[in-house]
Amino acid sequence: MTNLKILITGASGYVGSRIYKDLKDAGFDVVGTFNNTTLFEELIKADLTDSQQVKDLIAEVKPQVIVHTAADAHTNTCEQNPDFAQKLNVEGTRYLVDEAKLHAIRFIHLSTFACFNENASSVYAKTKIQAEKMVEKLENYVIIRLSMVVGLSPNQVSKNFYNDLLQAYKANVPFEADSSWQFEMSYLGNVLKLIKQIINMPEVKQVMVPYA
């Protein structure tokens, strides 16, 4: 455990809510944000695409570590609304990075394995690559590249492979998936273990989270 204050963005999201709940249950000093829907009543509402709201958030919370999970992580919605993807995935990250640099805050950035291909054509991958480049300008950061994330989360309504599978199982109905996918998944439990380990490890800069 650490006595550092930790700010988790996107703490109502599929990944962010699990990180927030597990760290809080483990006794960490955590504060979480949401924008549209909150899973926990104590979360702080913050629009990360608004630079002043980000400045106010950091001034209020005074975190020593930021775990940045908030993003539009859906390839389809990024393609349908590229302007919003740019605002949230890139500009939102930029505002947080600026504050992290100003206040010497450790920055843990959740990214995607899609960034391994710098010539990626999807809007989602392009925005995440831009975000990574900004994070890399910090002195105290780590980038965690995730593959398809699977595992139980407090957020069981967000549309993703695992939640869709879980809902199909609960409803006792068939579940169809694209059998052409060929890559290792990232287990959400391992993401938690990793974050707990690297909070105080500034020498770690980039990691990939496998399933096992």
Side-chain angles (χ1 to χ4, degrees):
M1 195 187 303
T2 176
N3 59 1
L4 298 175
K5 176 164 282 189
I6 303 167
L7 174 65
I8 300 171
T9 68
S12 277
Y14 172 65
V15 174
S17 62
R18 174 69 184 273
I19 295 172
Y20 175 80
K21 184 177 187 303
D22 278 30
L23 290 183
K24 185 175 182 181
D25 289 349
F28 286 84
D29 184 6
V30 292
V31 176
T33 74
F34 78 99
N35 188 21
N36 296 316
T37 304
T38 179
L39 287 179
F40 311 100
E41 62 181 14
E42 68 272 15
L43 297 183
I44 298 174
K45 181 172 176 58
D47 179 0
L48 301 183
T49 67
D50 184 319
S51 61
Q52 188 58 54
Q53 286 195 38
V54 173
K55 291 178 181 178
D56 293 343
L57 172 68
I58 300 303
E60 175 184 352
V61 176
K62 296 180 175 60
Q64 292 154 295
V65 180
I66 294 174
V67 180
H68 183 34
T69 78
D72 184 346
H74 299 91
T75 302
N76 290 339
T77 59
C78 286
E79 295 294 335
Q80 294 165 4
N81 195 344
D83 289 342
F84 177 73
Q86 183 74 20
K87 285 182 179 179
L88 180 56
N89 295 356
V90 181
E91 297 306 317
T93 301
R94 185 194 309 278
Y95 300 145
L96 286 165
V97 165
D98 288 345
E99 293 301 302
K101 183 177 182 180
L102 180 63
H103 300 287
I105 303 169
R106 178 148 173 76
F107 200 93
I108 300 176
H109 179 66
L110 270 63
S111 190
T112 169
F113 76 112
C115 291
F116 283 115
N117 178 12
E118 292 201 355
N119 296 316
S121 59
S122 74
V123 172
Y124 172 61
K126 287 179 178 178
T127 59
K128 295 300 282 186
I129 290 170
Q130 290 179 65
E132 280 197 5
K133 291 185 183 302
M134 289 185 292
V135 174
E136 288 172 348
K137 294 178 181 179
L138 293 170
E139 292 185 7
N140 192 356
Y141 75 91
V142 60
I143 294 172
I144 302 176
R145 286 180 173 176
L146 304 175
S147 183
M148 177 190 289
V149 181
V150 296
L152 194 62
S153 165
N155 180 335
Q156 297 182 11
V157 297
S158 289
K159 294 291 293 181
N160 58 54
F161 173 82
Y162 184 85
N163 277 349
D164 290 348
L165 175 62
L166 182 63
Q167 296 306 319
Y169 172 77
K170 288 181 176 180
N172 195 27
V173 297
F175 176 75
E176 295 184 3
D178 187 345
S179 60
S180 68
W181 293 343
Q182 295 183 8
F183 49 79
E184 289 188 1
M185 299 177 183
S186 295
Y187 174 51
L188 195 48
N190 284 347
V191 178
L192 263 298
K193 291 179 182 177
L194 179 65
I195 288 175
K196 289 177 182 178
Q197 292 172 358
I198 65 177
I199 284 173
N200 283 313
M201 296 174 63
E203 68 275 13
V204 177
K205 296 297 184 185
Q206 189 176 102
V207 291
M208 178 78 180
V209 182
Y211 180 77

